[in-house]
Structures are given as C-alpha cells and as structure tokens.
Amino acid sequence: MSLTVLVADDSKLSRRSVIRALPPELETTVIEATNGKEAIETLSGNAVQLVLLDLTMPEIDGVGVLEYLSEQPSSPDVIVISADFQPEKQRIVMSLGAKRFLRKPLDKEELAMTLFELGYL
C-alpha cells in the first residue's frame, strides 16, 4: 500500500531534496505544495498520511498549517523540516502536534530514522 506524502515548501530545490531523501523502500505517492495555503487545500481534498512541512512559506506559514490541522478531527503525522531551529519555534510546532522537528539541510539518515520511529519503515 502506498503512503501519500505531502511535501510543503516554497523552495522547489528544497522540495526535490526532501523527495530524494525519502527511503526507496518506502512506497509513496508524493504531492507537492508551494505554500501553506496550497498545503491546506491539498489536505482538505486528499487522504494524506504524512506531511513534510517547511515553516517559512508565503501566504500561510508552516505554523498556520499546523494550526489548521490541530482543528481537524483527524490529521496526518507532520514532520517539520526547517532552517528555523529556534527553541521557542520548536516548542510551538510540537505543541501544535508535529511529531518531529528536523533541521535543514535534511539528512537522509535522520529522516529514515524518524520514519522508522514513527512506524513507517
């Protein structure tokens, strides 16, 4: 069974990097969003199981996406991948339901270990 993953980042290069970092043994269908507004629209219309989310995006940022998800009756797992590694920002995103906070540039092994810990591998 394929896992539907939403990769939300305003940088095409970052989205490609995250997609390439997904372990090959993980069977995925990837949907991309270029900002938080697109991410929310995608989440409201698709059965997404996992979100790989940047924080700094136009229109609606990653925190706004997490706030939206926190108001939903059920929501996918969220892994935040961001260069904004301030402790206060980490606290906020974790309190809004993010499962992990990974630093950019993304380390493939760290992502694989996180996916393993969350039961995807």
Side-chain angles (χ1 to χ4, degrees):
M1 187 167 110
S2 183
L3 177 72
T4 302
V5 179
L6 172 62
V7 178
D9 195 311
D10 58 317
S11 164
K12 184 175 184 170
L13 181 64
S14 290
R15 289 192 313 273
R16 292 287 163 224
S17 173
V18 169
I19 293 166
R20 280 194 306 271
L22 289 168
E25 64 272 20
L26 187 66
E27 202 175 309
T28 60
T29 300
V30 176
I31 302 171
E32 296 180 51
T34 62
N35 59 53
K37 183 177 180 207
E38 277 184 23
I40 289 171
E41 289 169 356
T42 299
L43 289 163
S44 66
N46 293 283
V48 173
Q49 289 87 32
L50 178 64
V51 179
L52 303 173
L53 180 67
D54 184 30
L55 290 181
T56 308
M57 295 184 291
E59 297 196 47
I60 299 173
D61 66 5
V63 172
V65 173
L66 285 165
E67 288 170 343
Y68 164 80
L69 287 172
S70 71
E71 297 169 356
Q72 303 309 304
S74 65
S75 61
D77 288 337
V78 179
I79 299 171
V80 171
I81 303 169
S82 181
D84 184 355
F85 218 71
Q86 300 170 46
E88 179 61 14
K89 188 68 79 164
Q90 290 179 57
R91 187 194 65 72
I92 290 168
V93 301
M94 299 306 281
S95 73
L96 288 170
K99 299 294 185 188
R100 296 286 191 286
F101 196 117
L102 305 180
R103 185 187 302 256
K104 279 184 180 179
L106 181 61
D107 179 274
K108 286 178 79 161
E109 287 76 29
E110 186 177 21
L111 178 60
M113 180 57 71
T114 299
L115 292 169
F116 176 78
E117 290 169 356
L118 294 175
Y120 291 104
L121 293 175

